[in-house]
Each structure stands twice: as structure tokens, then as C-alpha cells.
Amino acid sequence: MENVFAPNLLAGKAALVTGGGSGIGAGIAMLFAHHGAKVALVGRTLEKLENVAKTIRDAGGEASTHACDVRDYPALEKAINDAATQAGRLDLLVNSAAGNFLAPAASLSANGFRSVVDIDLCGTFNACRAAFAHLAKQGGSIVSITATQADVPTPLQVHAGAAKAGIAKLTRDLALEWGRMGIRVNAVAPGPVEGTEGMSRLAPPDVESGLKKRVPLGRYGTIDEIAAAVLYLVSPAGAYVTGSTLLIDGGTSLIGPGPFLDMMGG
Ligand code: HXC
């Protein structure tokens, strides 16, 4: 077996990351580039994508940017085709684009629910579908970012929880259909991760210290820790892993919805 701790684990590979303009998606893109992959960044805001691409290029890596919304299938398909043409191939897809906010189910509008499902679940399917033909050429790997809310009943998160649970099921179904075609399909479920838009939306600073104390490992995770889990799944070390969702949550899911109940005042 190759030394999985070697540098340049992804040399010769081309990757595409949705939601690559910030947070976890940007962290994954930068780690992939550090390991030698050509990286294509997809997101709604070109300026954010360009900032991440500049960081990658300044460090000696290769990055392209493709501004589009994962809800817009024709635009996303074009972005994926363009990225594969520019890099000459596409081996790795990471679905990190997501939308979220705290909202009580009793007052959440149908359009609010649909918007999050469209971005998270439909956007993930859209990218998998558009990338399939490229990945199938030489085999490849997909990792989608889900969340502990997919399994843990969570107040104020009915929209995101349903969308993320859908991603976990889609991951298993695609793994079954596409395994024989050489495509592995997995997911990573982060718990609270510091420095992300998600945490600033879900855990305002005034609830942060109480929240941190309840995480079994006593702290939030880091973007690098999530990116490392994704790297493991797409690397040779993960070659026999498909259809799995890897929890990287400091044990947060073990304590149920407690942190979110804190946010609601108990
Ligand atoms: C209630 C809300 C709301 C809120 C929006 N809506 N924000 N409802 N509380 N705080 C409703 C709107 O009223 C509208 O419904 C509908 O959602 C669509 O809103 P738009 O702003 O028109 O949609 P859009 O511009 O497409 O924006 C999508 C978005 C937005 C999801 C609503 O927040 C967004 O773009 N987010 C992207 C970035 C993001 O959220 N990153 C964090 C991901 S964190 P009506 O009925 O009025 O038309 C994350 C962590 C995962 O994913 C962990 C948990 C699973």
C-alpha cells in the first residue's frame, strides 16, 4: 500500500468543490491543492472564489473559479464541464454548498424550507449527476458535507435536518449504484466548527461558551479537521470506504439536541 501520509496524496488528480468560496469548502479546496490536486471552485460569489483561488495560487497550487448556483442545473453542468475541460479530467467532487438559518418550524415558510432543501439536497444531486460522466471515465470519489442534524432531532433546524438526512441517504444509494463504475460516494458530518458562516448563523457569540462546554471534547472543531477527514476519504487510505457518513463532531451527536435546546433557552 502507498504511504498514505506522504505529501502530494492527490498529485495528478482534479477536484471540484461546491461552496468553495468560504468556510469548510474553502478549507477542503486548499488542502486538496496542498496535496497536488488541480482544484475548481464553484460558488455563487465570484469575488469569494477568486480570493480562495489566489491563496491557492500564491502557495504554488492550481485553481479555477466557476461562479454559479448549485440550484441552477444547466449553469452547474456547464461549470463542471468547463472545469473538467480545463483540468483535462475530473476525479474528485466535494459537495459543500449549503444554506441554513435558525427558524421555528411553526413559522417557517414553505419557500424557506424549499430553499434549503434546494441548495443542500438538490444541489448535491445536481453536482453528482453532472459530474458522473467525468468521474466514470477513470473512476473517482465524491464526498458530501452533511451535518449531525441529519440524525439528531434538532429544534429550529427542520429544513436543514431534512435536507442533510436526504444527503446521507443519497450517499448510500449512489454508492450502491456507482460502486461498480469505480466511483466511491461518502459523506462527512461535522459538528460545530469554528470560523464558519454556519456557526455564526447557528451559534451567536452570547451562547458560545455554554455550547462549547457541552461538546464532549470541550471545544469546537476546526475547518482543517473537517478537511482532513475529507482528504482521508478521497485518498488511498479510504480506498475501501463507500456509502459511509463519517462523524467529525467532537462527540456532539452523543448528547442529543442539548446544544440547540440551550439556544432556545432550555
Ligand atoms: C426564516 C428565512 C430566513 C430566516 C431566509 N428565510 N432566511 N426564514 N428565518 N432567518 C426564508 C425567506 O423568507 C424566503 O422565504 C426563503 O427563506 C428564501 O429566502 P431568500 O433569501 O430569498 O433565499 P436565497 O437568497 O436563495 O438564500 C438562501 C438562504 C440564505 C439559505 C435563505 O440564508 C443563504 O443564501 N445562505 C447561504 C449561506 C449559508 O447559509 N451558509 C451557512 C450554511 S451553514 P419566503 O417565504 O419569505 O419567500 C450549514 C451548516 C450545516 O449549512 C449545519 C446544519 C445542518
Side-chain angles (χ1 to χ4, degrees), residues 81-258:
N81 289 341
D82 287 350
T85 301
Q86 283 171 32
R89 58 193 292 145
L90 182 64
D91 305 272
L92 312 172
L93 167 67
V94 177
N95 294 301
S96 187
N100 200 4
F101 46 78
L102 293 172
S107 58
L108 175 64
S109 72
N111 193 37
F113 184 91
R114 183 170 47 242
S115 296
V116 171
V117 171
D118 271 352
I119 297 169
D120 292 23
L121 177 56
C122 299
T124 293
F125 174 77
N126 290 345
C128 293
R129 173 67 184 84
F132 170 77
H134 300 290
L135 300 175
K137 278 183 192 159
Q138 70 286 310
S141 188
I142 298 171
V143 179
S144 301
I145 305 303
T146 171
T148 51
Q149 287 93 317
D151 282 321
V152 179
T154 307
L156 312 181
Q157 286 285 273
V158 67
H159 43 305
K164 298 295 195 183
I167 294 173
K169 181 62 165 59
L170 176 144
T171 295
R172 288 159 58 80
D173 289 343
L174 291 184
L176 185 65
E177 280 199 40
W178 292 355
R180 293 289 173 90
M181 298 165 204
I183 302 172
R184 296 187 298 107
V185 188
N186 292 291
V188 166
V193 178
E194 65 190 10
T196 60
E197 184 174 348
M199 283 310 288
S200 59
R201 283 169 180 259
L202 303 184
D206 54 321
V207 296
E208 214 179 75
S209 63
L211 237 177
K212 270 186 191 158
K213 275 188 224 142
R214 299 193 67 166
V215 177
L217 288 185
R219 63 173 178 86
Y220 288 166
T222 66
I223 288 173
D224 286 348
E225 287 168 332
I226 305 305
V230 177
L231 178 64
Y232 156 69
L233 286 170
V234 304
S235 78
Y240 201 53
V241 184
T242 198
S244 85
T245 294
L246 186 52
L247 265 178
I248 307 290
D249 73 341
T252 306
S253 58
L254 301 173
I255 59 169

